[in-house]
Amino acid sequence: MEEDIKPDIKPVIDEIPKEPDDKKTSLCVALKILKKYNLNSTAETLKKEANLTDSAYNTSEHDVNNALNIFKSQGDPSVYENAYITLSKFVETSLDIYKHELGCVLYPVFVHMYLDLVCNRYEAEALKFMNKFGPGQESYYQADIQNLAVITKKEELEDNALISSYKSNEFVVRMSRDTLSLLKRHLKEKKQTVLLDIVQENLFFDVYEGIARNKQQIDAVAGGMIGEGTRQDNKSRVYYGLLK
């Protein structure tokens, strides 16, 4: 009589990956967001009550940004249009000496607001935003805007060279210290979270001492996909025949 040989079967449970601790992950993300906005006292209270360690602050920026995007997607998409209109009016009504440098933030803010709307699946609102504010951008950005306008769904953001460039690089804005002070004051007074987040996360200000530049000086070096080069990059660039 042949001996029955049982196959070597591993317990099925060992082959199923354990689900992550979603609650703990959410707490870690919340903790890092509180820290991000300098709500240190609240962060410490949460850490203590949730029995978290300092390693909770090591939560990836990807998880934090996903959480913020989910929060935004549950809100009112009209905040983007309202914030952009407020910013545009602020630029337009500023003194001429500062107006042109302040206007340099309009394009990168426009781009990232549009991308946020698409990412959060506000497709109709994104189209409206593009049609309303796209034509008003400077002429040297119109080619990039046409390429951007083709992207209307969240799935189209993946593996797109143009979007990758916008997302992986901060847009460089060269600005005098006085002009930047005016912008900071405006952002602080209006307290528009959507606008403030975009400026903090996606713009880099190359600040210099001195008088703000005029439109002719700005137009001579503007139009790059990720803004102007920093002063280190520009050290051999020619401005009106003079080495800067």
Side-chain angles (χ1 to χ4, degrees):
M1 183 176 179
E2 294 184 1
E3 182 180 356
D4 291 333
I5 301 176
K6 295 182 180 180
D8 183 16
I9 301 176
K10 295 181 179 179
V12 175
I13 193 170
D14 288 344
E15 298 177 359
I16 300 176
K18 295 181 180 179
E19 293 184 2
D21 188 343
D22 291 337
K23 183 177 180 181
K24 185 175 181 180
T25 300
S26 298
L27 287 170
C28 291
V29 169
L31 188 66
K32 190 157 185 177
I33 290 174
L34 290 172
K35 195 75 173 178
K36 177 184 178 75
Y37 291 100
N38 295 319
L39 300 173
N40 298 321
S41 177
T42 306
E44 286 302 311
T45 300
L46 174 61
K47 188 176 77 170
K48 184 177 180 180
E49 292 184 355
N51 197 26
L52 299 173
T53 64
D54 287 339
S55 63
Y57 290 117
N58 297 329
T59 303
S60 71
E61 285 297 324
H62 176 73
D63 288 338
V64 172
N65 290 333
N66 278 346
L68 290 173
N69 279 334
I70 291 172
F71 173 76
K72 290 176 184 177
S73 68
Q74 295 172 342
D76 181 2
S78 67
V79 298
Y80 290 92
E81 181 176 342
N82 294 336
Y84 195 82
I85 289 174
T86 301
L87 178 63
S88 298
K89 287 182 178 178
F90 163 68
V91 171
E92 188 60 32
T93 57
S94 295
L95 294 175
D96 287 345
I97 190 174
Y98 303 117
K99 180 186 300 184
H100 303 298
E101 279 197 338
L102 288 170
C104 293
V105 304
L106 291 175
Y107 174 69
V109 168
F110 162 79
V111 167
H112 285 283
M113 283 188 170
Y114 177 76
L115 292 178
D116 275 2
L117 286 167
V118 173
C119 184
N120 292 323
R121 300 190 184 280
Y122 293 128
E123 295 169 8
E125 289 82 359
L127 178 60
K128 178 184 175 184
F129 189 86
M130 173 62 70
N131 291 337
K132 186 170 185 176
F133 301 115
Q137 305 301 320
E138 297 288 355
S139 59
Y140 38 74
Y141 290 127
Q142 290 302 320
D144 286 336
I145 289 174
Q146 289 178 10
N147 292 329
L148 185 65
V150 174
I151 301 166
T152 59
K153 297 182 182 298
K154 182 176 181 178
E155 292 73 19
E156 296 169 351
L157 298 174
E158 302 294 332
D159 300 323
N160 184 291
L162 178 65
I163 303 306
S164 296
S165 180
Y166 285 134
K167 289 294 188 182
S168 60
N169 296 283
E170 292 179 314
F171 192 95
V172 179
V173 178
R174 193 173 186 208
M175 187 172 282
S176 73
R177 191 169 300 280
D178 289 344
T179 307
L180 183 59
S181 294
L182 286 176
L183 177 61
K184 285 182 176 179
R185 188 186 309 162
H186 170 76
L187 295 174
K188 185 176 181 180
E189 289 175 354
K190 295 303 178 182
K191 297 179 180 178
Q192 293 172 311
T193 304
V194 167
L195 177 58
L196 187 59
D197 284 349
I198 286 175
V199 171
Q200 288 181 333
E201 295 173 10
N202 300 291
L203 273 63
F204 173 83
F205 292 96
D206 182 19
V207 183
Y208 67 93
E209 302 290 345
I211 300 173
R213 296 174 297 164
N214 59 37
K215 183 169 175 52
Q216 184 181 19
Q217 291 171 314
I218 293 170
D219 287 349
V221 294
M225 184 181 295
I226 56 172
E228 297 184 39
T230 61
R231 279 170 290 176
Q232 181 66 24
D233 296 333
N234 286 339
K235 61 183 179 181
S236 62
R237 182 174 289 183
V238 176
Y239 291 83
Y240 306 110
L242 299 175
L243 288 176
K244 196 74 173 177

